Amino acid sequence: MPDPAAVIQQTVQVTFRYPVAFTTRLFDPANSVLRDVVADEASAVYPKRLLAVVDAGVAEAFPELDGQIAAYAAAHADVMTLTEAPVIVTGGEASKNDPALVTALHEAIDAGGIDRHSYVLAVGGGAVLDMVGYAAATAHRGVRLIRVPTTVLAQDDSAVGVKNSINAFGKKNWLGTFAPPYAVLNDLHFLTTLDDRDWLGGVSEAVKVALLNDPAFFDQLETLAHALVARDLDAMAPVVRRCAELHLNHIATSGDAFEMGSSRPLDFGHWAAHKLEQLTDYEVRHGEAVAIGIALDSTYSYLAGYLAEADWQRILDLFGNLNLAVFHPRLAEHLDDPEQSVLGGLQEFREHLGGRLTIMLLRGIGHGFEVHEMDEALIRQSIARLSILIAATTS
Amino acid sequence: MPDPAAVIQQTVQVTFRYPVAFTTRLFDPANSVLRDVVADEASAVYPKRLLAVVDAGVAEAFPELDGQIAAYAAAHADVMTLTEAPVIVTGGEASKNDPALVTALHEAIDAGGIDRHSYVLAVGGGAVLDMVGYAAATAHRGVRLIRVPTTVLAQDDSAVGVKNSINAFGKKNWLGTFAPPYAVLNDLHFLTTLDDRDWLGGVSEAVKVALLNDPAFFDQLETLAHALVARDLDAMAPVVRRCAELHLNHIATSGDAFEMGSSRPLDFGHWAAHKLEQLTDYEVRHGEAVAIGIALDSTYSYLAGYLAEADWQRILDLFGNLNLAVFHPRLAEHLDDPEQSVLGGLQEFREHLGGRLTIMLLRGIGHGFEVHEMDEALIRQSIARLSILIAATTS
């Protein structure tokens, strides 16, 4: 019955371009990185309007920031004007659990006359950038978003990507869109005040991309591990940079930046990580959970015969040298109740992606590959193995 | 100060593909168009879940529709399963003014287990498709949306495009995203119950795309005008088809499908149209307002010396033959108060687009071109000219 002549096959190609800059002291008036991004010559209407939104945790760690942003805008008044004083929003995962924050930002965007050629400048951790990004992406079908990530995890991973989200129905990232940023401006100086857990937690995403694609980067992480633990900013700079670069390369070359298929390589280790975060009420932070999730799927890869024992050992050793735990007691609890155990994370992961279950495993360091099912008995063995290892280490 | 080596220039290309089908009796179980769209072989998980959402106006005009959709799903149970009975939502512009409708759809999407490889099937006029599209685009960062437009305006224009929206802060389309549909299925049979105003109103978008790009289509519209007024479905079919095709071509070839620049050719005549709709509390419907907006900018093009008098006359004659008014008294009122007159629409249009004002005018039939300013005195003259013409015609 369908008449092929009665169907138009529409193809729409959209090209998004955005700079990801690595700088320090972004709001020093002498630093032209932000000015150059805002000065979009094609628009020809100056000064451009800019609404600054700042993570409360960052505002607390850098009490001078508010004044610095205002001074920067004043020094570059020919190009930009702040629509109001920076808006301070709740930091951390709480910012994604309160839809009223999105509504408040919509009101500020409307009141400030922010249009599709104006800017929202979001300064904060990954959760705040996710929430502000969702508000910006839905206002006027998307106003320009400049992300200034302030944590290792946001600088090397989430903030360089094309997604935003808030939580809904008790589910992480249930509401959101794909919306590439207008620019990402990474300022190393913001990392100096992070607590040790957040400083090191973000490195787990670097281990992840190294394991998937870049054995030389894995070597480099081994070399830098002790300097990273010692909070050496000069060691962190190339780690953040290379991790962001690998992440960006993946998005640009995957052929599926908006995730219309089922493959999700960058979610290596994440099915267990997301569930562990939820099971511990986010007491285990995302970066920490990712380290555990990677250790679990690496152990599974080893026990299934895909990964050599020496490679498996190197992975566990690297996490050890980075002071990142590869096990948490909650991982081994309630394994007979899918809702209450990490095993349920597999089904939730499939539901979130939709379609066919697709999981990344390892054949070697720098060599990820995909499978479409996991053996539950082998996952239990992997959990038991990690639990024994930890017991041996800590006894 | 900025170090070029410290910037990664990211480029992300995303390709969207969707079929726009022209059929009749879409929900006849013997019609495989919907089945073929839902049966996405790459996903390999069957049956696919589908949440149907129906415009209350359509449900009233076609009381049997609810049962037909259920019967269709039952007849194709190997491929699709309805998650619940079709959800009926308010029709018309009111559907875009009530954010609770979006929340209710999010709840239905969550409760129905609709994931990124499941479907929302939206049946209705352009406003309902806009609202449902916004809900679908933000759930799980976008679940698959199949649009079944039921009006001339939606079939030939809004539903084939890549946008969705609801109204907020008293402003049309303030919230929304760019999100191409998974498929658009045009069923001519739905047009049979439209009232005359909606049947003819949608033709104004066909006049628009003909004026911009396709003089032969303009000729065809002149030839078909009387048959269209006589409600000849065989005359309407090629008009809807060609208008949709020109619209799709524009989106595919403009190089700016997500409207990141300032040029917006398909908004020819729309700056005045949107404002007139608002000024009359939507008593003037969108298609009718577009006819008036096109007449206004055509008259401006003529008075400014761009458009030949004979071409201008042909445009007015075509609208006359289509029973579409080219003037409304509200167009000439309160011209000294920008907020309360159509003249304010120009500034609002610039603000909605952002950046530089860009307006489409005509050099001839089938030949649009852009300007970046309009002369207010000449707009007033154009309004006066249309007002006199109407007075002459109706006296």
Side-chain angles (χ1 to χ4, degrees), chain B residues 170-252:
Chain B
K171 292 168 186 169
K172 197 166 162 80
N173 300 337
W174 198 91
L175 282 172
T177 73
F178 288 89
Y182 190 83
V184 183
L185 309 181
N186 278 346
D187 182 344
L188 268 183
H189 183 64
F190 282 117
L191 307 184
T192 55
T193 64
L194 294 176
D195 69 26
D196 280 351
R197 286 179 68 185
D198 283 333
W199 168 274
L200 289 168
V203 180
S204 61
E205 296 285 355
V207 176
K208 179 192 75 180
V209 289
L211 283 172
L212 294 178
N213 289 308
D214 190 345
F217 185 38
F218 192 88
D219 297 346
Q220 188 184 12
L221 288 167
E222 290 179 322
T223 305
L224 291 174
H226 293 291
L228 289 170
V229 169
R231 299 205 57 136
D232 180 341
L233 200 58
D234 290 334
M236 186 61 89
V239 169
V240 166
R241 163 83 193 228
R242 182 63 183 153
C243 183
E245 193 166 44
L246 287 167
H247 195 113
L248 288 162
N249 280 348
H250 171 78
I251 293 170

Side-chain angles (χ1 to χ4, degrees), chain A residues 178-228:
Chain A
F178 289 90
Y182 190 82
V184 183
L185 309 181
N186 278 346
D187 182 343
L188 268 183
H189 183 64
F190 282 118
L191 307 184
T192 55
T193 64
L194 293 176
D195 69 26
D196 280 351
R197 287 179 67 185
D198 283 335
W199 168 274
L200 289 168
V203 180
S204 61
E205 297 284 357
V207 177
K208 179 191 76 180
V209 290
L211 284 172
L212 294 178
N213 287 309
D214 190 344
F217 186 36
F218 191 87
D219 297 346
Q220 187 183 13
L221 288 167
E222 289 179 321
T223 305
L224 293 174
H226 293 290
L228 290 171

Side-chain angles (χ1 to χ4, degrees), chain A residues 40-91:
Chain A
D40 160 32
E41 294 182 12
S43 279
V45 178
Y46 286 106
K48 314 291 287 181
R49 301 170 78 79
L50 192 145
L51 172 69
V53 184
V54 177
D55 186 319
V58 177
E60 194 180 337
F62 298 92
E64 69 284 8
L65 183 61
D66 190 334
Q68 285 174 341
I69 294 174
Y72 190 92
H76 299 280
D78 55 324
V79 165
M80 68 184 82
T81 182
L82 292 182
T83 60
E84 59 176 293
V87 176
I88 310 296
V89 295
T90 314

Side-chain angles (χ1 to χ4, degrees), chain B residues 362-378:
Chain B
L362 296 179
R363 281 197 206 285
I365 286 171
H367 300 284
F369 74 104
E370 289 181 339
V371 297
H372 295 290
E373 55 187 332
M374 286 186 85
D375 180 78
E376 192 179 305
L378 206 54

